[in-house]
Amino acid sequence: AAGACGGVLGNPFFAIKTRAQVFSSAKDLAVGTQHKPEGLWRSFIGIYRQEGLAGYTRGMNAFVPRVVVYGAAQLGVYDATKPALQRHLGLQEGIQLQLSSAFIASVAAVVVIQPFDFLSARLQNQAVDPVTRKGKLYSGLVDCAVKSIRTEGPGCLLKGCWANVCRMGPYSVMVLMFFEQSKRLVQLARGAQ
């Protein structure tokens, strides 16, 4: 539930970030629909003026599942990996086991969310009809997936996956390691009482 709420609240800002990253003032470097970034507040207002409230939700049907699935995959794989590594490799509780489990969990989580990440970026960066305020290329998540796969093959859903692993992997590993070390400190503090 927390991931879904965070996804809903964060979606407008993810859209602004995506549009800013894709923008280029050089015509030969421009990718997709160009939305000139004008700062956070002006971009936020610009989306409302051009697309109405619906502009803030564009791509949300891919972004919210991405956030929810990431947390579930990360924690689920981490919890399953630790005992498996202990059983099969004989690793004992400690930094090596935690680091190995966290690395595996972070890679798995990114691979699982990558299709949602890809679709979200496509939905958020498409041109919008000024009259209907709807996307010109895709009617929604499924339409975007079908058109992308038909045109580019199923591998398109994993575009940017390894870059995302390199971007999110260290963060995920650090979060899980921090969680484990915090748990250990709490247990030590309770034991000292």
Side-chain angles (χ1 to χ4, degrees), residues 38-53:
E38 301 174 311
L40 181 63
W41 184 244
R42 283 189 176 156
S43 294
F44 201 79
I45 291 170
I47 288 175
Y48 180 76
R49 284 184 180 152
Q50 290 178 339
E51 304 171 46
L53 288 174

Side-chain angles (χ1 to χ4, degrees), residues 98-177:
Q98 295 164 5
L99 187 62
S100 301
S101 300
F103 176 76
I104 292 167
S106 68
V107 171
V110 170
V111 169
V112 169
I113 66 151
Q114 194 59 37
F116 296 109
D117 208 43
F118 170 82
L119 294 169
S120 180
R122 290 248 168 132
L123 288 166
Q124 290 175 341
N125 195 48
Q126 70 177 314
V128 176
D129 184 293
V131 176
T132 65
R133 295 182 169 181
K134 293 185 179 193
K136 288 184 175 182
L137 298 175
Y138 314 110
S139 63
L141 178 70
V142 174
D143 184 51
C144 181
V146 168
K147 285 178 178 174
S148 297
I149 292 169
R150 276 191 190 145
T151 305
E152 303 171 57
C156 72
L157 297 176
L158 294 175
K159 279 184 179 180
C161 187
W162 291 116
N164 231 359
V165 167
C166 293
R167 178 179 75 90
M168 295 176 73
Y171 160 79
S172 183
V173 168
M174 294 305 294
V175 165
L176 292 169
M177 293 293 295

